[in-house]
Amino acid sequence: MAVTTRKWLRGDPDRPFPTDLDKLNELKKRYVGPTHEPLWFYRNRGSANPAEEARTRDYQSIENIEIMSQMGLHRPARAHFFKAFGLDRERPYIDKTIAYARELHKRGILVSVYVGGTIFTDYFFKEVPEAIHWMRRDQYDQPVTYGGFQLQRWFPCLNHPGYRAYLHRVLDIAVQEIGADEIFFDNQILRYEPRSCRCDHCVEHFRQLIRRNYTLQQCEQRYGVAEYPDSVPPVFSQANPPWRLDGIRTPEIQDWIDHRVQSVIEFYRDMADHVKNQKPDTAVGMNIKGIHGHNRAFDHGICHGSFGNILDFSCIDGYRPGYRNGAIVSEVRFWKSAHSTHIAVVDTQATELACAEDQTFGYRKQIKGHGWLGDIGACTVYTPMTLFLRGHQRLLHERQHMHDIAVLRSEPSTNYNCAKVHEQLMAFEQTLAIEKLPWGIIFDKQIDQIDRFRIAALPEVQARSDAWLDRLDAFLRSGGGVIASGKAAGFNEWYRSRDPEHALTRWLGHPPQDHYEVAAVGTGRFVYVPTWDVATKWDFHDWFSVWGENVLPVKNRGEFLQAIDDATVSRPLTHRVTGNDCVFVEAIAAVEGPQAGVDLHFINYNPQQLDATMNVRVALPEGKSKAKVVLTDPHHPDHRSWEVAVEVDGDVARFAMFTPRVYGLAQVMFA
């Protein structure tokens, strides 16, 4: 047994790792990957088969733990812990996880455990009869059930004090008996309307939120009377189905959405605080999923910007990146936003492509005494490429990602709009990625981060507060660029029209018109585009979403590139890359000193497209006049590197880059 007395922090780039690929892949053949599903769950769900039963039994064996240690795993996939069958009935399985955790800790391996978000009514109510009163009640006073016809699984109300108190007992076991290094909550997001919980606790939370958010004077402006309303949850019907909404103007529905978002946040804070008050170095995460092409606040009570600096980490659930039917399928938005929200994204290392995305796009959140989330310690893909990433963690560790262009995902715009805003945002962001531009995402609560960008983009971002407009005005006048389109900033944060004085009049000199326009503002530049011609247009037939193979770049890409050029003021962007639409690029600042420069990480989503050469332009920093470029092919067994010819043209350096099989690196050093 490889017992260790040293505790390596998670994600420490100096942590040693095995390098014999042949041996690692032989070990992998014998390795049983952990599962967060206990044996009883497979049987209760009706899916149990010999392979599932063997996995739940064998992954916690001493033999398998030894294999984990030899494979160099630092934080294996999460183990089953609590699925809500009842603490008494689950106790035999929990005891096995306690013993499993003890063996992992002996070997310096971190332990992650799972906490489920549904209640199994067939047994839990027998153990805890009062739990019948904890359940969510929908618009028709019916329980809210899980999907896939697992109708025995009901969702508890996140606002119910009885449910929260019970979960505190669960977490005490995770912290005190298991010594969990990571705790993950799953299925705590909310469901589509009309399946919002409408129990007394939620109605009271809804009303109290209105009282907290508005003064009586604001309440008069919002609701018409200088008196707080006793609001009731919205009642949807065949005449007013929830999926028919585009812009949401009614204050009561807006505040209902805010109540849903705040319910999830408050639940997470309660759980995380309960854990961290006992064990501060435990990472606590929740499955909020990624930024998708629909109104996730209205649909699921999830607003990524509102979780900023609150949530430790989330995962990407059921995600399979790649190139399908002419579209690049990627959760790149979630990783991009993580650099402003400081929410780490984990559990996406099942293939070379997923590993490359996770490592190069990801944000590494630091938790004192725990380490850096977003590490590679759970990866079981053993190839020359993944070995390169393991051995070059310092290229990715605590370095600034260079995002020159910020997409401003205004929360009133995304949370109070179910169609048009998402239709335009998704296509615009996909075009930024396909054009290989240095871009990121920020939200309302990250307004103070705007100065780290060069260009701010508002693609159909319709609702903007006066505070944001004033901040953008200062940004423009100090030399920034702003790109707006459609009805951007046509409404305030309550989604009320600004007519007759449109917000963009302050920069254009008149309300926006149906043509492309550029205006100088101070030392900056404002660009207006009437619309982005998108491949997937919203309709009202059913719940609208742009996702997967429907996420395509804008059709008017010439106008898109012209807008980027017109909004770029004084100096070039960090990089511009042309060629091969199947490749994304992430720029990460290199170390200071003699080797100062920028590392460009290239990720290819289409393994059938390898013959294209990309032309790269990198901006020379002020005071630099030379550049050296070294390319590396991590797929080569020896990680072959070579220097390439560089042409310096004014303030940019130019060179050619090969298309990697999955991942390639270009390191640019300035002199």
Side-chain angles (χ1 to χ4, degrees), residues 246-290:
D246 182 25
I248 299 172
R249 306 288 190 87
T250 309
E252 184 180 61
I253 300 179
Q254 292 179 356
D255 288 331
W256 180 248
I257 293 169
D258 293 347
H259 142 77
R260 281 165 57 84
V261 170
Q262 197 60 33
S263 293
V264 181
I265 291 172
E266 290 173 7
F267 170 83
Y268 171 80
R269 272 181 166 154
D270 183 11
M271 298 302 120
D273 286 349
H274 189 80
V275 169
K276 291 175 183 285
N277 285 339
Q278 301 177 70
K279 193 172 182 291
D281 60 351
T282 301
V284 184
M286 178 184 285
N287 186 2
I288 65 171
K289 306 182 189 295

Side-chain angles (χ1 to χ4, degrees), residues 210 214 216-225 249-256 258 416 493-496:
I210 294 172
Y214 310 111
L216 283 174
Q217 183 180 7
Q218 289 173 318
C219 193
E220 181 178 19
Q221 292 297 315
R222 189 162 175 80
Y223 282 95
V225 181
R249 306 288 190 87
T250 309
E252 184 180 61
I253 300 179
Q254 292 179 356
D255 288 331
W256 180 248
D258 293 347
Y416 302 157
E493 68 271 29
W494 289 357
Y495 232 104
R496 293 187 179 176

